[in-house]
Amino acid sequence: MLTEMISLIARNGIWRAAGHTELPLLSREANPVSNQLLVVAGGLALALSRCAAEDHAKLYPRAAQLYTLLRRELKIHGRTSASSSLILEAFHETSEILDPNTRRAFQKCLEARSQFDRAKALQREPVRSPEGAYTSFVPMSEDAPTSAPHSSVKRSTASS
């Protein structure tokens, strides 16, 4: 027991927790779009954890930006303001190192965002949620976006 305590104090190992270790949990109560966004965030976290934090800006700048945006906005608002260009650029940066589920989720999110953007352009009036520029483009929903394109996402009861 004493040796375990000493080894904890005087660590010489190389194990360090990555800055992107917080993986999101999917929720049965959430809509399919929200869960796909969570899959993308989790896949990006894993991909970014495979390189040193100092290299993120150099190797995967848009992926790091998308992960940070998704992590912040999905926690606070349950939706995201991520543009289709950011999603596409992050996908292109990381597509070769992503797992198949994350690649599929990226494609579904990009399709949903593009569909939302087209519907929004047809409305001719800017659509803003009560919180401002955040849109939940509700990817993966079977319904086409209507005049109320934002929805709230129920949070899981799991502790964070």
Side-chain angles (χ1 to χ4, degrees):
M1 173 134 145
L2 182 61
T3 56
E4 290 175 8
M5 291 176 49
I6 292 172
S7 68
L8 286 175
I9 295 170
R11 284 193 177 168
N12 292 328
I14 62 168
W15 183 275
R16 303 289 182 268
H20 297 86
T21 56
E22 186 177 322
L23 298 176
L25 292 173
L26 301 183
S27 171
R28 289 185 183 186
E29 293 85 32
N31 65 44
V33 174
S34 299
N35 277 331
Q36 293 300 317
L37 289 168
L38 292 171
V39 169
V40 167
L44 286 174
L46 291 174
L48 291 170
S49 72
R50 294 179 183 140
C51 67
E54 303 82 41
D55 294 335
H56 292 168
K58 183 171 52 176
L59 299 173
Y60 308 111
R62 302 298 275 173
Q65 180 183 1
L66 179 60
Y67 172 77
T68 302
L69 184 69
L70 289 175
R71 183 176 172 189
R72 181 181 66 240
E73 290 181 347
L74 292 175
K75 278 183 177 183
I76 297 171
H77 304 289
R79 53 189 177 269
T80 186
S81 63
S83 67
S84 56
S85 63
L86 176 60
I87 296 169
L88 183 62
E89 290 169 8
F91 177 71
H92 283 301
E93 283 179 355
T94 57
S95 63
E96 291 183 9
I97 61 171
L98 294 174
D99 63 279
N101 289 332
T102 303
R103 276 197 293 272
R104 279 192 297 278
F106 251 111
Q107 291 167 343
K108 289 178 181 180
C109 288
L110 186 58
E111 289 169 10
R113 182 59 186 196
S114 298
Q115 180 183 11
F116 174 81
D117 289 344
R118 283 191 300 274
K120 185 176 167 185
L122 291 175
Q123 291 177 349
R124 298 192 191 240
E125 288 185 24
V127 175
R128 288 174 116 19
S129 68
E131 293 84 11
Y134 297 98
T135 58
S136 76
F137 52 89
V138 192
M140 278 51 85
S141 69
E142 296 300 319
D143 302 328
T146 61
S147 61
H150 57 275
S151 66
S152 62
V153 175
K154 295 179 185 175
R155 293 180 179 251
S156 68
T157 56
S159 62
S160 41

